Amino acid sequence: IDQHKGVQLALLTSGDSIKHATHQIDKLGLLANLQALLRVATNIMASQNDLPLSMEIKGLKNRVIISRIERTTFIVACRNSIDERDTNLKVEATAQLLKTVLVIGSNIQDVWKIR
């Protein structure tokens, strides 16, 4: 995803850790703010008997796409000036691939626990 034109940063978080990031980032600040944002989104969605799966925060020049995948959070920061539809398709395709990888990884861990 980081090779897609317009993507500035992509990262995968799980709980209180960053599993992968395409660039250096302030881990503590990001994770604290992300947890607070997800808590608010969860509360809002819970009032509607739903759960947040994804959200987008859009500024004048940039936007951030946040997707919940299994027990992780996939975050992509990108420029607004790049084709939004194309970028959304790339982010969604990457999220689907990540979900597949995470499910396979979880299944492998379960098999090793059984043995």
Side-chain angles (χ1 to χ4, degrees), residues 99-109:
K99 181 175 182 174
T100 301
V101 169
L102 291 167
V103 167
I104 290 170
S106 177
N107 289 341
I108 289 171
Q109 283 182 337

Side-chain angles (χ1 to χ4, degrees), residues 1 4-7 63 65 76 78-79 82-93:
I1 187 92
H4 181 67
K5 187 170 69 172
V7 170
R63 64 192 177 109
I65 303 164
V76 179
C78 50
R79 292 185 193 92
I82 305 304
D83 182 8
E84 192 171 307
R85 185 174 178 272
D86 185 48
T87 302
N88 288 348
L89 289 173
K90 297 285 187 205
V91 169
E92 191 171 313

Side-chain angles (χ1 to χ4, degrees), residues 6-60:
V7 170
Q8 298 167 313
L9 169 74
L11 56 109
L12 187 67
T13 69
S14 179
D16 61 351
S17 67
I18 295 176
K19 298 299 183 189
H20 178 76
T22 57
H23 300 294
Q24 287 287 87
I25 190 157
D26 172 21
K27 175 185 169 183
L28 188 60
L30 175 106
L31 291 172
N33 289 315
L34 177 63
Q35 293 301 331
L37 178 62
L38 291 174
R39 210 171 10 260
V40 169
T42 300
N43 289 341
I44 291 169
M45 295 297 286
S47 72
Q48 301 300 311
N49 296 320
D50 209 346
L51 291 171
L53 299 177
S54 68
M55 65 182 95
E56 180 177 320
I57 302 169
K58 195 169 193 174
L60 294 175

